Amino acid sequence: MKNNNHINLKGYREVLSYKAALKKGLNATIFKVKEFSNIVPFDTLNIIVKDNFKLDPNYIVGFVAASGSFFISRPSLSNKWPNYDATFSIAQDKRDVRLFNRMIKVLNCGYIKSDSSNMRYLILINKKELYNIIIPFLLSII
């Protein structure tokens, strides 16, 4: 885009291939246009980011802003002494597990949980980690 390649047909098709690779993809009506009828999604499986490349804290905060949340977990009623838990979570698609592992290394806390809809969650329940790591980390970015 810096070179204005997106304003010609070839460049615009390339932009559409990136959009097609995203989870929500392209609107089906775009394929009715002859020039865009055979858009192929960009192959994201072959993107390799070196694991030793340190994540910028602002990058992590971007994920928190987009899909992070703090909430109180209701205890299991089967527990003898039920206790509510404060939880911090970031939700992403299953393809982002490696990214979550890198975030865990940077933050030095958390674990990954999955659900039946192929979502993955970076979870922090430990109150000391929330208070001593997550909250100061987020406040340092503000």
Side-chain angles (χ1 to χ4, degrees), residues 24-68:
K24 293 195 179 193
L26 291 172
N27 186 312
T29 59
I30 193 81
F31 297 106
K32 294 178 181 177
V33 177
K34 180 183 173 190
E35 290 82 10
F36 309 125
S37 61
N38 61 351
I39 295 291
V40 176
F42 180 78
D43 182 11
T44 58
L45 296 176
N46 291 322
I47 296 175
I48 298 172
V49 178
K50 295 179 182 177
D51 286 334
N52 62 354
F53 181 78
K54 188 172 182 192
L55 292 178
D56 183 308
N58 291 302
Y59 185 76
I60 296 173
V61 169
F63 280 89
V64 173
S67 60

Side-chain angles (χ1 to χ4, degrees), residues 10-115:
K10 181 181 176 197
Y12 190 61
R13 287 177 55 81
E14 183 178 353
V15 171
L16 290 176
S17 77
Y18 296 141
K19 170 72 171 136
L22 298 175
K23 187 170 183 161
K24 293 195 179 193
L26 291 172
N27 186 312
T29 59
I30 193 81
F31 297 106
K32 294 178 181 177
V33 177
K34 180 183 173 190
E35 290 82 10
F36 309 125
S37 61
N38 61 351
I39 295 291
V40 176
F42 180 78
D43 182 11
T44 58
L45 296 176
N46 291 322
I47 296 175
I48 298 172
V49 178
K50 295 179 182 177
D51 286 334
N52 62 354
F53 181 78
K54 188 172 182 192
L55 292 178
D56 183 308
N58 291 302
Y59 185 76
I60 296 173
V61 169
F63 280 89
V64 173
S67 60
S69 60
F70 284 95
F71 57 92
I72 303 297
S73 302
R74 186 173 160 213
S76 169
L77 298 177
S78 64
N79 283 349
K80 187 174 182 179
W81 295 287
N83 188 15
Y84 287 89
D85 287 318
T87 304
F88 171 73
S89 172
I90 304 173
Q92 289 294 302
D93 188 82
K94 68 179 180 178
R95 65 182 173 207
D96 293 319
V97 170
R98 287 182 63 210
L99 175 63
F100 274 170
N101 283 323
R102 292 179 66 202
M103 287 182 185
I104 289 168
K105 283 182 183 176
V106 169
L107 297 171
N108 199 28
C109 60
Y111 66 93
I112 300 170
K113 183 178 174 183
S114 60
D115 69 12

